[in-house]
Amino acid sequence: MTPGMCCIDQLNLPGLTKGLRRVCNFIPASLIVLSLLSVSLPAAAIEFLGAEEVKQLVSGKTVEAVNPRKATSSVTYFDPDGTFRQLLEGKPEKGTWSVDNDGYLNTHREGWGSSRRKISREGDVWKLYKVPENITKSTQHKKTFTRIIDGNPNNL
């Protein structure tokens, strides 16, 4: 390790404050990493896709996803006409989708209401987040895309 370099610097984790870096001089790195894994990150620490990137990612594609908190899975076809068809835990659902200028993926399902989510790419993994309008609240990881397939091979 280079003099003056904190052990946590080697982990290449974005969004860490200088104060947290100073703490690592007194706490083993393994404990710091475990603590960081359980904390929700502020939206500023996550790099989200822009509007065009989101459209290219989902339009005309089938997205397989898991919700890590609820341990549920879904398969969703995002039709370029602005509708989507989905199997949520095997139950058919349908609704509309759009992407706004800020890159939010907006969906609406009858009986469920609307959602407004941001997408990030973290390595080879795509993640869907709920970004609160109140900046004092934490960004919540809602889904992880496990597979993105061109077209609608499942005929949803």
Side-chain angles (χ1 to χ4, degrees):
M1 183 161 46
T2 324
M5 182 182 205
C6 173
C7 57
I8 206 151
D9 287 323
Q10 295 180 16
L11 297 174
N12 192 24
L13 296 171
L16 295 179
T17 65
K18 289 180 182 178
L20 182 57
R21 291 180 191 284
R22 283 189 209 110
V23 169
C24 75
N25 293 321
F26 304 101
I27 300 174
S30 57
L31 290 178
I32 293 172
V33 171
L34 288 175
S35 298
L36 289 172
L37 292 175
S38 65
V39 174
S40 294
L41 295 173
I46 303 169
E47 202 170 307
F48 294 112
L49 302 182
E52 286 306 312
E53 294 168 306
V54 172
K55 289 176 192 172
Q56 289 176 4
L57 182 67
V58 300
S59 184
K61 311 266 178 56
T62 297
V63 176
E64 296 176 2
V66 293
N67 180 322
R69 291 184 181 208
K70 295 181 181 178
T72 57
S73 63
S74 62
V75 179
T76 308
Y77 173 64
F78 291 91
D79 197 304
D81 71 2
T83 61
F84 72 84
R85 294 176 294 287
Q86 180 180 66
L87 286 177
L88 180 60
E89 288 296 297
K91 181 182 174 197
E93 300 284 346
K94 63 182 177 177
T96 59
W97 73 276
S98 64
V99 178
D100 66 23
N101 291 335
D102 294 323
Y104 281 91
L105 175 63
N106 302 297
T107 58
H108 179 80
R109 276 187 293 174
E110 288 185 34
W112 287 79
S114 299
S115 70
R116 188 170 187 247
R117 305 287 188 251
K118 294 286 271 183
I119 299 174
S120 75
R121 182 174 183 174
E122 300 172 25
D124 291 335
V125 178
W126 302 97
K127 292 185 178 181
L128 193 70
Y129 287 91
K130 178 180 181 180
V131 179
E133 291 184 29
N134 180 340
I135 61 170
T136 63
K137 294 187 177 182
S138 296
T139 298
Q140 297 174 354
H141 173 213
K142 290 296 192 176
K143 288 188 178 182
T144 299
F145 294 173
T146 55
R147 198 166 140 194
I148 301 172
I149 309 160
D150 286 331
N152 185 10
N154 301 324
N155 293 317
L156 295 174

